[in-house]
Amino acid sequence: MECDVCGRSMWRWPVPPTAREEEIWSCSWCHAATHVGGEWFEISRPPYLPMGMRWEKAVADGLASGVSHAFGIFDKTLCGIQETGMSPSDHWWLPEQEDACGACRETADAIDDRWPQAMKGENARVSVARRL
């Protein structure tokens, strides 16, 4: 599948089939996600979100304390750390906070710059609802 934001190839998440029969695709370049199938949508493309609302804090036993990392896609932090059992927390990762990982911040900035301005509007990414 081709990314509608940047035109690169997307990667399909290896998730087990669910009752909703949903596939999740992610772009490793701009981190846009596309959901195919599911209960209400044939294609769902979540809109662009600013950095302060886009990433959750990563949590894992092996992460150093005192540094806040952004949970990216493919079960890694934005700076590339991969720990067993890592997951996103219930809290936003805020790049402006003092404890935010500098490498995660740089990666988040780079990813944000990969989104064309025209794709950052609320209705820029088109979702297709299933007809009833």
Side-chain angles (χ1 to χ4, degrees):
M1 176 180 291
E2 184 177 287
C3 179
D4 65 302
V5 174
C6 69
R8 295 179 182 250
S9 293
M10 297 183 91
W11 181 83
R12 183 177 174 199
W13 284 54
V15 293
T18 64
R20 297 186 315 180
E21 298 296 322
E22 181 181 60
E23 296 176 2
I24 302 171
W25 296 77
S26 291
C27 178
S28 59
W29 178 252
C30 72
H31 288 230
T34 298
H35 300 250
V36 179
E39 187 174 349
W40 297 105
F41 288 95
E42 289 180 13
I43 298 175
S44 173
R45 294 183 176 109
Y48 166 83
L49 293 172
M51 285 196 304
M53 296 173 58
R54 189 167 189 185
W55 312 104
E56 293 95 356
K57 285 184 183 179
V59 291
D61 290 338
L63 290 175
S65 62
V67 179
S68 173
H69 292 276
F71 186 81
I73 54 176
F74 314 119
D75 296 331
K76 293 181 184 178
T77 64
L78 290 183
C79 66
I81 298 171
Q82 189 169 19
E83 291 286 338
T84 303
M86 184 168 21
S87 65
S89 74
D90 292 334
H91 304 284
W92 294 118
W93 175 79
L94 302 172
E96 69 276 2
Q97 287 191 331
E98 205 172 290
D99 68 344
C101 169
C104 284
R105 187 182 303 119
E106 288 175 19
T107 302
D109 280 333
I111 291 167
D112 197 63
D113 289 343
R114 294 172 185 162
W115 280 66
Q117 193 61 40
M119 294 303 289
K120 291 183 178 183
E122 187 176 323
N123 297 315
R125 298 189 77 207
V126 178
S127 294
V128 181
R130 182 175 293 150
R131 293 181 186 195
L132 299 175

